[in-house]
Amino acid sequence: MVSNLLIDRLVNILREKDFNIAAQELENITDLDSFGSENFLHDIILERWVYRPEDVPFTFARDIWQSNSKVEDNRALLKEVLQYPIADINRAKINDFLWVAEKDFSAAKSAEKYYRAHVESTEGFDFNFMAINRLVFLAKKLSSKETDDTIRKKLLISVMDQYDNEDHGRILYLIQTAMYEKVDTDYLIQYTEKILNTYDDQSYDFYIIGGFCDVLEQLYYTKNKWQKKRCVSEPKLIEIRKRKAQAILTAERTLNEQNAGNLMRSVHLLKDVVNILKTITGTEAERKEILKKIDAIEKKMISEMPVFSAKHDNSETVKQLIRQLEVLDKEEALCYFASFIPLPEKSRIEESVTKSADAIGFGGLFPVGILGKDGKSIAKKQTNQKVW
């Protein structure tokens, strides 16, 4: 039985249009199924980790919901709350949860309706970001006639125009969604270039800059109906790819070369730049200069790599083997080498070198190797740790 007092408290909280405030007040409700300090309704209302239409929301709330024996009571509670006048965004999220967790088709239709009502009546990118993503997903999933592709494009532009230049990661995702939804290409090009221009040449946030460059390149392909090819000669595409490479180079220059891990990162980043420049005609000279730098860094890494050795005189063993092999024909000798030849002191040498390497902390970073008389590697052991 659902308590009327509890229903009244929940409805009063859920009338709040700012879901952050509503979620904060829900934290104080102790009569709901929870895990730790969070109850399932708090997680439903606070849900905002939806960056793309295909992202599945309410992960934590669903875990609480599915692990509890009172599913029927909780469902009845949500259904009861939905009978009262609460904020559109909260009504949309509760219905959306019932769709995701219970596959309730009528709840999905209601979620679409109230997400749209919220987006059309609310200003603020933060308040609408999750809602527009879920609205796009539900409208397409349900083949909605009410929120068709024309309406979706209009609402996407509306939310994008509310962007406050605070979270470039989220707007990048929304531009990608708008591109897939075929929002006007010229609008998206101008929009993306405006954001990209907020980064100067010294900016080293190459992940996000690279993301905007990739979107912008795709938009120009669409606008000009260019055929995709590995090596580009179009001035605009060259400009975009060089902007992406510049951000990576700037990030590489910020690394402290005294740190062994940073040396490896430098090599990785510089190789990424070379791979980008390979796709641009006329960049041979630039690539050669970067490859020289990579070679210098790798030589520095090798020169600073600790080398441990263990010597053992195997001359008598070799003489004994030769005497044994002298009486064998070619096939017998090959069989002997393949099956019976011992490796003198192999385990002792391997154990000695491995322990020495581990003692100073490089055992998992660099592979243990065995060198021949000329100093060249004749055997190498795989590392047992990942280097992040």
Side-chain angles (χ1 to χ4, degrees):
M1 175 68 75
V2 179
S3 165
N4 289 333
L5 181 59
L6 176 59
I7 292 293
D8 290 342
R9 289 181 67 194
L10 294 177
V11 169
N12 188 52
I13 292 172
L14 295 174
R15 287 195 179 102
E16 172 58 55
K17 294 181 179 180
D18 185 333
F19 58 82
N20 292 298
I21 295 174
Q24 187 174 8
E25 293 183 9
L26 284 170
E27 284 186 307
N28 299 320
I29 302 293
T30 58
D31 301 328
L32 297 172
D33 289 336
S34 62
F35 183 84
S37 61
E38 291 188 20
N39 59 67
F40 75 92
L41 187 53
H42 167 272
D43 192 63
I44 292 172
I45 300 305
L46 189 60
E47 176 61 77
R48 59 195 184 280
W49 304 113
V50 175
Y51 289 86
R52 300 166 298 181
E54 60 268 28
D55 290 346
V56 181
F58 313 118
T59 302
F60 192 56
R62 282 186 288 123
D63 287 343
I64 298 174
W65 183 272
Q66 293 166 1
S67 64
N68 197 283
S69 60
K70 298 189 295 183
V71 172
E72 291 293 334
D73 291 342
N74 290 333
R75 185 186 301 110
L77 172 70
L78 295 183
K79 294 279 190 180
E80 181 72 18
V81 167
L82 289 173
Q83 302 304 311
Y84 293 84
I86 59 177
D88 289 335
I89 185 61
N90 298 328
R91 186 180 298 277
K93 287 183 176 181
I94 292 173
N95 275 296
D96 196 4
F97 175 79
L98 290 172
W99 157 248
V100 171
E102 302 274 295
K103 298 305 177 189
D104 184 330
F105 182 80
S106 63
K109 292 295 293 181
S110 293
E112 177 207 342
K113 174 182 176 181
Y114 288 104
Y115 276 134
R116 178 175 172 181
H118 170 77
V119 170
E120 290 178 332
S121 63
T122 305
E123 288 290 327
F125 182 79
D126 285 344
F127 293 121
N128 287 325
F129 180 72
M130 183 265 189
I132 189 63
N133 276 293
R134 290 304 294 164
L135 176 58
V136 169
F137 174 82
L138 288 167
K140 296 177 74 172
K141 183 74 174 179
L142 302 172
S143 300
S144 173
K145 295 180 180 179
E146 292 79 12
T147 311
D148 58 18
D149 58 346
T150 301
I151 296 297
R152 293 198 299 272
K153 292 175 188 177
K154 176 183 174 183
L155 294 176
L156 279 164
I157 291 175
S158 172
V159 174
M160 290 172 68
D161 286 344
Q162 297 168 15
Y163 178 60
D164 53 8
N165 204 38
E166 285 295 324
D167 188 335
H168 284 184
R170 290 201 294 174
I171 194 60
L172 174 59
Y173 279 113
L174 199 58
I175 293 172
Q176 292 170 336
T177 297
M179 184 171 63
Y180 298 143
E181 289 296 306
K182 295 182 170 52
V183 169
D184 181 70
T185 302
D186 286 329
Y187 169 83
L188 292 177
I189 287 175
Q190 293 175 17
Y191 194 98
T192 305
E193 287 181 335
K194 181 179 178 181
I195 295 176
L196 194 53
N197 287 338
T198 63
Y199 293 92
D200 60 33
D201 290 341
Q202 301 307 310
S203 297
Y204 51 84
D205 193 352
F206 62 94
Y207 284 116
I208 195 74
I209 291 173
F212 283 117
C213 287
D214 290 342
V215 167
L216 194 56
E217 181 173 321
Q218 179 60 49
L219 290 168
Y220 272 106
Y221 271 114
T222 301
K223 176 182 178 179
N224 297 303
K225 296 181 172 59
W226 287 333
Q227 291 294 319
K228 287 195 174 182
K229 50 189 178 182
R230 174 169 172 74
C231 197
V232 298
S233 56
E234 293 82 359
K236 178 52 71 172
L237 296 184
I238 290 176
E239 175 189 334
I240 293 171
R241 292 189 183 184
K242 284 199 170 185
R243 180 70 183 88
K244 184 177 180 180
Q246 174 63 36
I248 300 174
L249 283 173
T250 304
E252 189 275 331
R253 293 189 195 104
T254 66
L255 298 175
N256 179 4
E257 293 187 2
Q258 302 305 313
N259 183 290
N262 282 343
L263 288 175
M264 288 186 284
R265 286 196 66 202
S266 288
V267 170
H268 177 76
L269 292 175
L270 290 172
K271 286 182 177 180
D272 284 347
V273 173
V274 170
N275 288 332
I276 293 173
L277 293 178
K278 283 180 180 178
T279 69
I280 303 173
T281 57
T283 60
E284 291 80 4
E286 293 175 72
R287 298 203 304 269
K288 284 181 180 178
E289 288 302 312
I290 295 174
L291 288 170
K292 287 180 183 178
K293 185 172 182 180
I294 292 173
D295 185 60
I297 294 173
E298 289 181 335
K299 286 179 178 177
K300 178 179 173 64
M301 290 169 59
I302 292 172
S303 69
E304 295 178 355
M305 185 181 298
V307 177
F308 306 95
S309 63
K311 296 181 179 180
H312 186 77
D313 184 3
N314 293 307
S315 57
E316 289 302 318
T317 304
V318 171
K319 290 177 183 178
Q320 180 184 352
L321 289 174
I322 291 174
R323 286 195 297 270
Q324 293 174 350
L325 292 173
E326 284 176 342
V327 300
L328 302 176
D329 61 24
K330 184 168 58 178
E331 290 186 359
E332 289 174 329
L334 289 173
C335 179
Y336 185 83
F337 271 112
S339 304
F340 305 111
I341 188 168
L343 292 177
E345 300 293 336
K346 172 181 177 295
S347 59
R348 187 184 72 80
I349 294 173
E350 180 177 327
E351 180 182 357
S352 172
V353 174
T354 302
K355 283 184 177 179
S356 299
D358 289 340
I360 68 165
F362 286 104
L365 186 59
F366 301 110
V368 173
I370 299 176
L371 304 182
K373 289 192 298 183
D374 58 0
K376 293 183 179 180
S377 175
I378 59 174
K380 186 181 292 185
K381 180 181 178 182
Q382 295 293 322
T383 58
N384 56 12
Q385 297 178 13
K386 286 187 176 181
V387 179
W388 295 97

